[in-house]
């Protein structure tokens, strides 16, 4: 960015392709409590990982014994070859590991209600596979960090500390942690703490060169930040721009699905079932408005009262029509003979003719 004709540059960073996670760094941490070292964007606690808990060791590098900070980054998963798995695979396995306690509770109910030994054997085999996968995940995670904020300021949703100062601080934390783990011989398996790939760019040409390099490496894109911007708890804030590559395609709507059982749109349309004309690409598409999902506000003038299902709503309003879909990339479907789309979102709908 520039002020009074002086070019100050900007901080360009790789747009990571994992699941957002907060890590608390508290010098007064007590590992014996039920407190969570990490949490997801929605506030779900992450516990039971030597690696996640060990990240708190970063506070040993801080002279102030009462320090309390929060790191921001993304959790990704390594494949057997050591390379990071694609988001659609890695995120699913990490989420399964995070929710493993809830899954085991569900499994237990199914096991006790199973009526045959064959059904119980199937559940046992399924659980054994999950335990194997959870163990692998726990020992092969990578936490890519890009920011750190004072805990009190994080709770207040604002920090005056500027981007470049926060980034330099978190870079020192990563450097210290990786040195400390080796010196103290702490076993974190194949897990890693990494600083996000970053570069100071001086102009728009350098910024776009960095962005194109990320796309060329098969990555999602770039985040570019004002070096002197404060931190604010918001997605659409001044001083930060996300650049991602998207494509468009036309698909036939063959039906619809209800929203998630515990979600806001559980009784309305959660996604449209779509496919290409040859049937080789099949995907559920969201990105619809509240009204297109079948809902309206209880009180048009007061959003706090929530939403309700539209009376006599036509759930098949899009069926047998063509929709234009924006997506990030084409991926292999659950069926090896089909394809799906990553981050699909509906743009417009039109009649088949």
């Amino acid at each position: 960015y520039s002020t009074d004709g002086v070019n100050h540059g900007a901080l360009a960073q790789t747009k990571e392709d994992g699941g957002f996670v907060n890590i608390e760094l508290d010098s007064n941490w007590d590992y014996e409590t039920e407190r969570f070292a990490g949490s997801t964007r929605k506030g779900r606690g992450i516990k039971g990982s030597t690696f996640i808990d060990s990240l708190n060791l970063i506070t040993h590098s801080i002279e102030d014994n009462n320090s309390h900070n929060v790191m921001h980054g993304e959790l990704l998963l390594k494949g057997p070859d050591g390379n990071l798995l694609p988001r659609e695979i890695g995120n699913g396995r990490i989420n399964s590991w995070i929710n493993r306690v809830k899954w085991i509770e569900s499994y237990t109910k199914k096991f006790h209600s199973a009526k045959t030994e064959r059904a119980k054997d199937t559940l046992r085999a399924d659980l054994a596979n999950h335990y194997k996968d959870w163990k692998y995940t726990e020992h092969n995670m990578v936490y890519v960090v890009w920011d750190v904020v004072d805990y009190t300021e994080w709770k207040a949703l604002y920090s005056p500390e500027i981007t470049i100062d926060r980034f330099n601080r978190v870079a020192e934390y990563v450097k210290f942690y990786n040195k400390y783990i080796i010196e103290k011989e702490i076993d974190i398996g194949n897990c890693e703490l990494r600083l996000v790939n970053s570069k100071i760019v001086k102009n728009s040409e350098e910024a776009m060169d960095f962005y194109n390099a990320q796309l060329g490496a098969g990555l999602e894109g770039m985040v570019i930040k004002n070096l002197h911007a404060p931190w604010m708890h918001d997605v659409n804030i001044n001083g930060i721009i996300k650049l991602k590559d998207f494509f468009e395609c036309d698909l036939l709507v063959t039906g619809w699905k209800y929203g998630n059982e515990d979600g806001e749109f559980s009784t309305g349309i959660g996604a449209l079932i779509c496919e290409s004309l040859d049937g080789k690409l099949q995907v559920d598409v969201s990105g619809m408005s509240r009204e297109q999902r079948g809902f309206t506000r209880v009180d048009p003038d007061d959003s706090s009262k929530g939403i309700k299902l539209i009376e006599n709503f036509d759930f098949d309003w899009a069926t047998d029509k063509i929709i234009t879909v924006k997506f990030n990339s084409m991926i292999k479907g659950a069926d090896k003979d089909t394809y799906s789309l990553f981050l699909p979102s509906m743009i417009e709908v039109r009649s088949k003719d």
Side-chain angles (χ1 to χ4, degrees), residues 90-158:
N91 277 16
R93 295 176 67 174
I94 289 174
N95 287 334
S96 175
W97 174 77
I98 292 175
N99 295 299
R100 61 195 182 281
V101 173
K102 185 176 180 180
W103 192 95
I104 292 174
E105 290 175 351
S106 175
Y107 156 83
T108 303
K109 292 180 180 178
K110 291 180 180 179
F111 185 83
H112 287 305
S113 63
K115 297 180 179 180
T116 66
E117 281 301 316
R118 183 176 179 180
K120 290 182 178 181
D121 287 342
T122 299
L123 287 167
R124 289 190 187 99
D126 192 25
L127 181 61
N129 288 332
H130 273 81
Y131 269 114
K132 182 179 179 180
D133 188 65
W134 292 334
K135 183 177 180 180
Y136 177 90
T137 299
E138 184 177 336
H139 293 89
N140 289 277
M141 291 185 289
V142 176
Y143 186 59
V144 181
V145 59
W146 61 76
D147 211 340
V148 64
V149 183
D150 174 83
Y151 179 82
T152 301
E153 294 173 346
W154 177 66
K155 295 292 286 185
L157 309 182
Y158 177 81

Side-chain angles (χ1 to χ4, degrees), residues 278-290:
D278 60 9
K280 292 183 179 180
L281 191 152
Q282 301 172 3
V283 62
D284 295 341
V285 178
S286 58
M288 293 163 284
S289 67
R290 181 178 59 226

Side-chain angles (χ1 to χ4, degrees), residues 107-210:
Y107 156 83
T108 303
K109 292 180 180 178
K110 291 180 180 179
F111 185 83
H112 287 305
S113 63
K115 297 180 179 180
T116 66
E117 281 301 316
R118 183 176 179 180
K120 290 182 178 181
D121 287 342
T122 299
L123 287 167
R124 289 190 187 99
D126 192 25
L127 181 61
N129 288 332
H130 273 81
Y131 269 114
K132 182 179 179 180
D133 188 65
W134 292 334
K135 183 177 180 180
Y136 177 90
T137 299
E138 184 177 336
H139 293 89
N140 289 277
M141 291 185 289
V142 176
Y143 186 59
V144 181
V145 59
W146 61 76
D147 211 340
V148 64
V149 183
D150 174 83
Y151 179 82
T152 301
E153 294 173 346
W154 177 66
K155 295 292 286 185
L157 309 182
Y158 177 81
S159 171
E161 187 177 10
I162 63 175
T163 298
I164 191 61
D165 289 346
R166 299 194 315 273
F167 180 69
N168 288 334
R169 189 153 63 95
V170 81
E172 286 299 315
Y173 291 170
V174 173
K175 181 179 179 180
F176 172 84
Y177 174 85
N178 289 326
K179 179 181 178 182
Y180 190 89
I181 287 294
I182 295 174
E183 290 179 349
K184 299 299 181 180
E185 299 182 345
I186 299 174
D187 184 11
I188 58 173
N190 295 318
C191 295
E192 292 182 53
L193 173 64
R194 298 180 186 174
L195 184 67
V196 67
N197 178 38
S198 306
K199 181 181 180 180
I200 300 292
V201 292
K202 299 178 181 178
N203 49 53
S204 59
E205 289 77 15
E206 289 188 5
M208 292 310 297
D209 285 344
F210 183 89

Side-chain angles (χ1 to χ4, degrees), residues 282-334:
Q282 301 172 3
V283 62
D284 295 341
V285 178
S286 58
M288 293 163 284
S289 67
R290 181 178 59 226
E291 288 74 18
Q292 288 172 326
R293 294 179 183 274
F295 295 91
T296 186
R297 284 182 178 176
V298 173
D299 184 341
D301 301 317
D302 187 353
S303 61
S304 67
K305 294 183 179 180
I307 59 177
K308 63 180 180 180
L309 193 64
I310 297 173
E311 188 176 355
N312 298 321
F313 178 70
D314 179 13
F315 283 84
D316 290 308
W317 64 267
T319 301
D320 207 33
K321 292 183 179 179
I322 300 293
I323 64 170
T324 298
V325 179
K326 180 176 70 173
F327 65 99
N328 183 255
S329 61
M330 188 166 67
I331 58 178
K332 276 288 186 181

